[in-house]
């Protein structure tokens, strides 16, 4: 069992209905890609192509996640 | 450069050891270009003018709108309907007559970007759409200029310095483009948000000119004014993304294609009975004779490809919409409907 904190930004936070959540995952075989897929289908995220994922404040991370990791889901913003 | 009262004017910042008289001189020789004089560009321009920047280029093709005033506080009610860069130039010149202010009432494109960027030391991104952000990025890579990026959404902002001393670029952060332009008009924005972000852009510019402090390169700052939970995320340089731009040069049509690969929006101005009809669901169908009545249905914040049978009526439609309803985002599909159908069958 591992605990992952996820932070959602911009329009993603609106689609998930929250800015942050802690997920307790049974498997200890979770990676960035599978977590993204999990959240994409759970919340029916629309523009998954451009979403960038940071792990522990490092952008573009991939591979397995560990207990206590903090993951951020970021969309690009266009406003000015 | 020094006018009467020069030392007094800048005395409070010259007192700082990082500035001093040599720093003030550096500021006085610096040339900064601001692309987009909206919510971000206005405060950036105000603080840079006040700080005594040598040359400030202001680029924007738009007019002041009443709905701009809650966040673009350089403009006043009496400026509504006037070109932003002209109003800004006048106001900023009053603020500081030392600064050479150049107004450029144009939209950034592949033709003007390289020569314009060459004339400046650094570029501030005050744009409000992805097309321009990718164009700034690519032109900055090709002319070897650093640029200060910011973007806003409701209460949140993103900030970073790109292409600074071999640091990452915008494409290293967002290699996959989106055309989901979300404008302040559509979703709303709190007025102070661009004020905060634009002021931070000016701060980074001043630090870069003074060569002092830690520059926000290789990091993305995320600010949330609603929750006060800010983030600093480290970024990595992606050589492939940079090399791609260097090899192909400035290609807005490629940016457009990348953006459109998600969904391209067409405006079909043919009559409903005209065949063939594309299967693409992203077609807004408004026949020529209804444009006057229904022009409000056409979005203004993203590129719209106007199509008819052979490319002639669509050209006239664009001229009509540009002249009478202020559209600046329309592109003619020159070879008519057949070229779209070809695209559909090849994808």
């Amino acid at each position: 069992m591992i605990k992952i904190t996820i932070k959602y930004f911009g329009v993603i936070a609106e689609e998930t209905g929250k800015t942050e959540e802690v997920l307790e995952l049974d498997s200890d075989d979770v990676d960035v890609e599978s977590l993204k897929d999990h959240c994409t289908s759970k919340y029916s995220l629309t523009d998954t192509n451009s979403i960038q994922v940071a792990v522990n404040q490092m952008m573009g991370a991939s591979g397995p996640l560990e207990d206590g990791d903090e993951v951020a889901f970021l969309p690009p913003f266009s406003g000015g | 450069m020094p006018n009467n009262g020069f030392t007094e004017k800048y005395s409070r910042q010259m007192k700082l050891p990082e500035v001093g008289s040599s720093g003030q001189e550096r500021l006085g020789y610096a040339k900064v270009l601001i692309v987009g004089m909206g919510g971000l560009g206005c405060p950036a321009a105000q603080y840079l003018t006040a700080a005594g920047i040598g040359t400030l280029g202001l680029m924007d093709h738009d007019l002041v709108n009443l709905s701009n005033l809650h966040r673009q506080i350089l403009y006043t009610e009496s400026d509504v309907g006037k070109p932003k860069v002209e109003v800004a130039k006048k106001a900023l010149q009053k603020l500081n007559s030392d600064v050479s202010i150049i107004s450029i009432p144009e939209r950034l494109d592949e033709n003007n970007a390289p020569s314009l960027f060459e004339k400046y030391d650094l570029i501030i991104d005050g744009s409000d759409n992805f097309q321009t952000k990718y164009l700034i990025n690519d032109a900055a890579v090709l002319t070897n200029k650093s640029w200060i990026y910011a973007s806003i959404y409701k209460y949140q902002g993103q900030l970073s310095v790109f292409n600074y001393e071999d640091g990452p670029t915008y494409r290293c952060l967002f290699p996959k483009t989106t055309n989901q332009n979300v404008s302040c008009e559509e979703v709303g924005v709190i007025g102070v948000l661009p004020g905060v972000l634009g002021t931070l852009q000016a701060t980074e510019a001043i630090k870069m000119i003074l060569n002092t402090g830690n520059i926000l390169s290789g990091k993305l700052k995320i600010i949330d004014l609603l929750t006060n939970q800010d983030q600093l995320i480290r970024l990595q340089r992606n050589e492939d993304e940079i090399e791609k731009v260097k090899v192909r040069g400035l290609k807005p049509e490629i940016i457009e294609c990348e953006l459109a690969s998600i969904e391209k929006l067409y405006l079909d101005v043919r009559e409903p009975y005209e065949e063939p009809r594309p299967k693409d669901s992203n077609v807004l169908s408004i026949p020529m004779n209804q444009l006057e009545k229904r022009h409000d249905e056409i979005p203004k914040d993203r590129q719209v490809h106007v199509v008819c049978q052979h490319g002639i009526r669509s050209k006239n439609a664009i001229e009509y919409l540009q002249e009478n309803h202020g559209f600046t985002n329309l592109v003619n599909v020159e070879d008519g409907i057949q070229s779209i159908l070809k695209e559909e069958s090849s994808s």
Side-chain angles (χ1 to χ4, degrees):
Chain A
M1 179 80 92
I2 62 168
K3 268 190 193 178
I4 309 277
T5 304
I6 313 180
K7 291 180 185 286
Y8 301 107
F9 292 90
V11 70
I12 307 172
E14 277 152 42
E15 291 180 337
T16 61
K18 58 191 93 176
T19 55
E20 190 177 324
E21 72 178 323
V22 178
L23 280 190
E24 290 191 16
L25 300 161
D26 257 341
S27 163
D28 45 21
D29 186 27
V30 184
D31 61 20
V32 174
E33 293 72 22
S34 63
L35 182 72
K36 190 176 167 185
D37 289 344
H38 170 79
C39 295
T40 300
S41 59
K42 185 176 169 187
Y43 298 112
S44 315
L45 302 181
T46 47
D47 189 17
T48 52
N49 199 35
S50 60
I51 294 177
Q52 293 301 304
V53 184
V55 178
N56 300 325
Q57 289 80 45
M58 172 61 97
M59 191 60 89
S62 59
L65 291 165
E66 290 174 19
D67 188 34
D69 277 349
E70 186 181 298
V71 178
F73 280 41
L74 282 165
F77 295 168
S78 61
Chain B
M1 174 183 54
N3 280 3
N4 287 341
F6 178 84
T7 312
E8 192 189 344
K9 192 186 275 178
Y10 305 115
S11 62
R12 298 305 187 266
Q13 68 188 28
M14 286 171 73
K15 241 186 176 94
L16 298 168
E18 293 78 11
V19 184
S21 55
S22 67
Q24 193 59 51
E25 202 167 308
R26 287 178 90 128
L27 290 169
Y29 284 116
K31 296 174 182 163
V32 178
L33 173 67
I34 303 181
V35 180
M37 280 299 289
L40 296 167
C42 282
Q46 283 169 290
Y47 275 106
L48 290 175
T49 300
I53 290 291
T55 303
L56 198 57
L58 312 175
M59 186 173 202
D60 203 312
H61 65 282
D62 218 348
L63 310 177
V64 177
N65 191 295
L66 190 60
S67 67
N68 297 150
L69 300 186
H70 91 298
R71 65 190 187 286
Q72 301 175 19
I73 61 175
L74 182 59
Y75 310 128
T76 64
E77 287 180 4
S78 60
D79 299 325
V80 170
K82 295 179 186 164
K84 283 185 173 178
V85 289
E86 296 308 330
V87 176
K89 181 180 175 173
K90 213 179 258 179
L92 294 168
Q93 208 68 83
K94 267 193 209 166
L95 175 61
N96 192 345
S97 57
D98 295 342
V99 182
S100 161
I101 294 169
I102 299 166
S103 58
I104 310 155
E106 294 167 38
R107 184 188 274 271
L108 188 74
D109 61 31
E110 74 274 26
N111 299 315
N112 58 26
S115 55
L116 198 56
F117 281 24
E118 290 290 0
K119 291 183 197 147
Y120 292 86
D121 302 321
L122 59 96
I123 291 91
I124 290 184
D125 163 30
S127 72
D128 63 355
N129 62 81
F130 292 121
Q131 286 89 336
T132 307
K133 289 183 194 292
Y134 282 100
L135 191 59
I136 293 175
N137 181 76
D138 294 359
V141 167
L142 292 167
T143 55
N144 199 23
K145 301 285 173 177
S146 302
W147 65 288
I148 307 170
Y149 155 80
S151 268
I152 52 172
Y153 179 82
K154 292 186 177 180
Y155 295 87
Q156 294 181 358
Q158 299 177 347
L159 179 77
S160 190
V161 175
F162 289 126
N163 206 39
Y164 177 78
E165 295 181 352
D166 294 327
T169 70
Y170 184 60
R171 284 184 185 274
C172 306
L173 169 60
F174 292 117
K176 294 202 175 114
T177 50
T178 172
N179 67 353
Q180 310 270 316
N181 273 322
V182 182
S183 65
C184 300
E185 283 73 29
E186 267 172 73
V187 297
V189 63
I190 194 78
V192 296
L193 178 66
V196 172
L197 270 296
T199 304
L200 288 174
Q201 286 179 294
T203 315
E204 289 306 303
I206 289 168
K207 282 158 58 189
M208 288 160 76
I209 294 160
L210 296 176
N211 200 15
T212 191
N214 295 323
I215 306 302
L216 198 66
S217 166
K219 296 180 198 96
L220 177 72
K221 194 182 182 79
I222 304 171
I223 290 170
D224 189 333
L225 296 183
L226 200 59
T227 63
N228 275 322
Q229 285 189 334
D230 298 348
Q231 295 257 325
L232 196 59
I233 289 172
R234 282 162 291 154
L235 307 176
Q236 284 164 321
R237 188 176 155 95
N238 182 336
E239 294 300 338
D240 291 347
E241 288 297 326
I242 295 164
E243 204 48 40
K244 209 165 68 183
V245 173
K246 284 184 180 165
V247 169
R248 75 185 183 200
L250 207 52
K251 292 281 190 301
E253 64 274 18
I254 292 180
I255 299 173
E256 188 55 36
C257 268
E258 290 168 340
L259 294 164
S261 64
I262 303 158
E263 47 167 358
K264 204 168 187 170
L265 184 65
Y266 292 101
L267 169 65
D268 188 344
V269 294
R270 295 176 304 159
E271 300 301 319
Y273 54 81
E274 286 181 84
E275 297 283 348
R277 312 300 294 188
K279 290 187 295 280
D280 197 321
S281 58
N282 248 320
V283 180
L284 183 61
S285 196
I286 308 179
M288 281 297 272
N289 58 9
Q290 294 181 24
L291 283 175
E292 189 182 349
K293 228 171 32 202
R294 296 175 57 192
H295 64 86
D296 282 348
E297 293 173 35
I298 309 164
K300 281 188 169 169
D301 58 352
R302 57 178 289 195
Q303 196 148 42
V304 178
H305 299 261
V306 187
V307 64
C308 66
Q309 209 69 5
H310 301 293
I312 298 160
R313 270 176 293 165
S314 52
K315 187 167 168 268
N316 294 336
I318 291 175
E319 278 172 17
Y320 165 77
L321 289 166
Q322 282 175 341
E323 281 167 25
N324 297 284
H325 301 290
F327 282 87
T328 55
N329 56 325
L330 307 176
V331 180
N332 191 26
V333 180
E334 283 180 14
D335 299 326
I337 193 71
Q338 290 300 341
S339 61
I340 298 181
L341 297 170
K342 257 181 237 158
E343 255 177 56
E344 269 189 3
S345 60
S346 66
S347 64

